[in-house]
Amino acid sequence: MKITCLNCGRPYPDQGTPYKCPKCGGLFDISPLEFDPTQVDKSQPGIWRYRHTFTGLPDTFPTVSLGEGSTPLLWSEAFGRQIAFKCEYLNPTGSFRHRGTSVITTFLQSRGVTFALEDSSGNAGASFAAYAARAGMKAGIYVPAAASGPKRQQIEFYGAELHPIEGTRSDVTVALERAIENPSPTGRGAGVRVAYASHAYLPVNIPGYATAAYEIFEQIGGAPGVVIVPAGQGGLLLGLYRGFDALKRAGLVKSIPHMVGVQARACSPLWVLSTAGMSAWGFVTEGQTLAEGVRVKSPLRAGALLQMVEAGHGEFIPVDETDILRGRDELAKRGLYVEPTSAIVWSALEQALGRLPDPVAVMLTGSGYKYSPH
Ligand SMILES: [Zn+2]
């Protein structure tokens, strides 16, 4: 497993932490992933049992960990079927993000980073703020000014600098990239090289997300028939897909589950492009949605996700705004309290369950505590 640029094929440099290829500006990626059951280290907690799958980390470098992973898989009834709910919202700051953030922060620290910026709708920012605090690293987090209050408070309590940006989610990334490329000559962080701890760009994130596939495989005792996942950037979806692909190539499962990415219809580029083709790009909107965590107009790894659909391994399903809070309430009635972004999986179950094979695994990505109505 190597990290290479998808555009020019150059390997990731041995020093520094570039988020894009320094030669051509391309996106770095690690694929395929390799899983070796004999190398699973059962003495380690959570995701670190699968350290051998984390390309880019020095073998013995100490981990930056808050106890992420090993989340419960709870079976509950929905629409007359038993569904396996993977409770990712029980991770340390209340979201699935930690699977990637723990690997990213360990990677940054192994390369000498002391100050890093991250942009997020809120959950990835809260997650990185926590891990930066754990690592003794300075963090600056860029979020939409409209991000949920509890997420903004989390970020500030962890001691990170919060930068609320007016405008869309895309405007937040633009503001951060400007800060990375034109660091302030004075003020906080002056003279220190600032890294971009991007959950979307940094390729070491995806193998972290893939650990959820290894856990589901162990918890069910095989591969599920279907995995249903909220998808904005689609990183968790891609990580799960590649994780099951690694299990298949290791001879541990016969086939990869049908992967279902769920998007808010108001901002559903992956659904639009996978059903209507690339020529429909002009029809993609970045509308307001309660599912703020999946409001991503231009997913960076859309190419890999659309290839997954073309290869017959998955699909995207859009969810109407009016169905989101109803989904949250239905999940809460089963003891599963999630934020609106997570709750979109309920409508996807309702729309598609009739044609999906058992066992069905559903990712519950963020805690209900993350959300408060404005
Ligand atoms: Zn390149």
Side-chain angles (χ1 to χ4, degrees), residues 4-10 20-28:
T4 51
C5 169
L6 286 174
N7 197 36
C8 73
R10 286 187 174 86
K20 290 193 284 196
C21 175
K23 297 289 181 192
C24 78
L27 191 61
F28 282 112

Side-chain angles (χ1 to χ4, degrees), residues 23-195:
K23 297 289 181 192
C24 78
L27 191 61
F28 282 112
D29 202 4
I30 308 168
S31 183
L33 303 183
E34 306 288 346
F35 183 90
D36 177 354
T38 67
Q39 287 195 57
V40 174
D41 183 352
K42 296 201 169 95
S43 71
Q44 293 297 312
I47 70 165
W48 292 98
R49 285 178 292 158
Y50 315 107
R51 183 173 183 142
H52 76 281
T53 64
F54 299 156
T55 302
L57 295 186
D59 285 342
T60 55
F61 193 82
T63 60
V64 182
S65 172
L66 287 166
E68 55 293 321
S70 291
T71 54
L73 188 76
L74 297 180
W75 293 85
S76 186
E77 182 276 335
F79 306 104
R81 300 255 293 269
Q82 283 296 313
I83 308 294
F85 290 99
K86 182 72 167 156
C87 299
E88 290 295 286
Y89 63 90
L90 294 176
N91 271 299
T93 73
S95 86
F96 74 99
R97 289 293 183 195
H98 297 25
R99 292 185 187 276
T101 313
S102 181
V103 182
I104 285 177
T105 315
T106 304
F107 168 73
L108 295 177
Q109 197 160 50
S110 77
R111 296 207 166 194
V113 170
T114 56
F115 185 17
L117 306 181
E118 162 72 313
D119 62 316
S120 160
S121 68
N123 277 335
S127 179
F128 184 65
Y131 281 81
R134 177 76 167 164
M137 205 180 274
K138 275 198 284 188
I141 312 290
Y142 288 64
V143 298
S148 285
K151 294 179 186 176
R152 294 205 310 267
Q153 283 161 18
Q154 263 188 310
I155 291 167
E156 290 191 301
F157 276 120
Y158 287 126
E161 243 169 42
L162 183 71
H163 301 271
I165 305 295
E166 294 293 341
T168 65
R169 176 67 184 83
S170 307
D171 295 329
V172 177
T173 301
V174 170
L176 181 142
E177 286 182 272
R178 206 177 290 138
I180 292 276
E181 274 147 32
N182 307 296
S184 157
T186 56
R188 196 174 178 200
V192 177
R193 219 178 49 78
V194 181

Side-chain angles (χ1 to χ4, degrees), residues 14-15 40 58 64 113 156 161 164 185 188-189 195 199 203 205 208 227 236 257 271 296 318 328-330 343 359:
D14 294 329
Q15 293 188 339
V40 174
V64 182
V113 170
E156 290 191 301
E161 243 169 42
R188 196 174 178 200
H199 62 283
N205 200 31
V227 182
L236 179 60
W271 172 67
V296 179
R328 178 196 62 181
D329 297 349
E330 287 294 333

Side-chain angles (χ1 to χ4, degrees), residues 15 19 38 80 93 117 141 182 185 200 208 219 234 241 255 270 285 299 324 346 370:
Q15 293 188 339
Y19 67 100
T38 67
T93 73
L117 306 181
I141 312 290
N182 307 296
Q219 287 167 314
Y241 171 57
S255 56
L270 296 167
T285 55
I324 295 178
W346 185 263
K370 296 275 193 175

